[in-house]
Amino acid sequence: MFGSPSRWQQTGALLLVLVLALPLFAAERIRLATTTSTYNSGLLDALLPEFERATGIQVQVLSVGTGQALRLGRDGDVDLVMTHAPAAEEAFVEAGHGIDPRRLMYNDFVLVGPANDPVGLRESEGVVEAFERIARGNTPFISRGDDSGTHKKELELWARTHENPNFTHYYAVGQGMGRVLLMASEMQGYTLTDRGTWLAMHSRLDLELLAEGSIDLANPYQVILVNPQRHPHVQLAAATQFRDWLVSAEGQALIGRFTVDGEPLFFPDAD
């Protein structure tokens, strides 16, 4: 008859079981570069736990401006991007940095400013006139100045006016949307913001929504995979799984149900 296993044999067997089980417990992780609007609004806090519970895949978020997010994708530092600057996204894909872009959701940009509205944005006939009134007034305008999707939209709108964004009280601060809104509130100035971040933060701000609703202020979001032919190390399979979940019926329903104070911040757009 064989004797009982020694303590060393038992320990060795246990270690072997643990080593063999490691792949079962090692969580797969992907890196997402996305805009500050999806982060500041709280949308990702609502989406990511649901995806991680369903798949076991963890999503590491790098919250930056759209321009920086696309550069991270270009350099292979992330596995996919979620951004809101159509022209820049098209150039990103055409240059071979991204593949298989998918529409995800949309909201819009709004102009906010002090309640007394010293330049009369409420009376503006369109967003272009609103920007011209700001330039001609003597009131601060706080620009993100960070190559984000919001900053790109702002520059696009300035280009349609007869004014240049170099007037005395124009401040390009190189900050995210949340910080810019806080600065505008402190300085009692105007700024352009995505509606999602505005709704998430407006209760903390001494500002009011003054101009909205123009087709010129549309704000669509896309999700784009980083090209594995450029960067073979990217986690393409897991990133694709996350992308597909976002545009699935489940992901789109969660986006549509996400609200702040009863108001939706984003509208599903995958279909």
Side-chain angles (χ1 to χ4, degrees), residues 112-119 121-122 134 137-142 169 171 179-191 198 202 204-208 210:
V112 302
N116 64 341
D117 188 18
V119 303
L121 291 199
R122 292 187 180 93
I134 291 170
N138 194 31
T139 304
F141 181 89
I142 316 303
H169 296 286
Y171 301 95
R179 181 58 186 150
V180 166
L181 282 167
L182 290 170
M183 292 177 70
S185 180
E186 293 165 2
M187 298 173 69
Q188 284 296 279
Y190 295 96
T191 194
W198 164 250
H202 73 91
R204 293 180 276 159
L205 303 170
D206 186 17
L207 299 171
E208 290 191 6
L210 301 174

Side-chain angles (χ1 to χ4, degrees), residues 90-190:
E90 183 178 359
F92 178 77
V93 173
E94 288 184 350
H97 303 305
I99 61 171
D100 204 11
R102 298 288 182 86
R103 291 188 308 181
L104 178 62
M105 59 190 180
Y106 69 91
N107 60 11
D108 61 349
F109 295 103
V110 296
L111 274 165
V112 302
N116 64 341
D117 188 18
V119 303
L121 291 199
R122 292 187 180 93
E123 288 75 47
S124 299
E125 295 185 4
V127 67
V128 172
E129 182 185 331
F131 268 70
E132 290 174 342
R133 284 177 179 245
I134 291 170
R136 295 168 188 164
N138 194 31
T139 304
F141 181 89
I142 316 303
S143 167
R144 285 186 59 167
D146 62 351
D147 197 32
S148 62
T150 306
H151 184 219
K152 291 177 186 293
K153 171 59 73 171
E154 178 211 321
L155 294 180
E156 173 191 317
L157 293 170
W158 282 121
R160 296 176 55 190
T161 72
H162 299 293
E163 307 292 338
N164 291 315
N166 56 4
F167 47 91
T168 303
H169 296 286
Y170 179 87
Y171 301 95
V173 296
Q175 299 288 328
M177 196 71 255
R179 181 58 186 150
V180 166
L181 282 167
L182 290 170
M183 292 177 70
S185 180
E186 293 165 2
M187 298 173 69
Q188 284 296 279
Y190 295 96

Side-chain angles (χ1 to χ4, degrees), residues 62-85:
L62 286 76
S63 174
V64 292
T66 284
Q68 180 62 22
L70 294 174
R71 285 191 289 274
L72 288 168
R74 179 198 66 193
D75 295 339
D77 294 326
V78 294
D79 302 299
L80 72 168
V81 299
M82 182 194 299
T83 50
H84 63 136

Side-chain angles (χ1 to χ4, degrees), residues 26 29 36 40 62 73 86 98 113 147 158 192 199-200 203 220-221 228 230 241-242:
R29 178 176 296 181
T36 58
N40 288 338
L62 286 76
D147 197 32
W158 282 121
L192 180 73
L199 289 175
S203 63
Y221 288 76
R230 292 286 180 90
Q241 192 172 350
F242 180 48

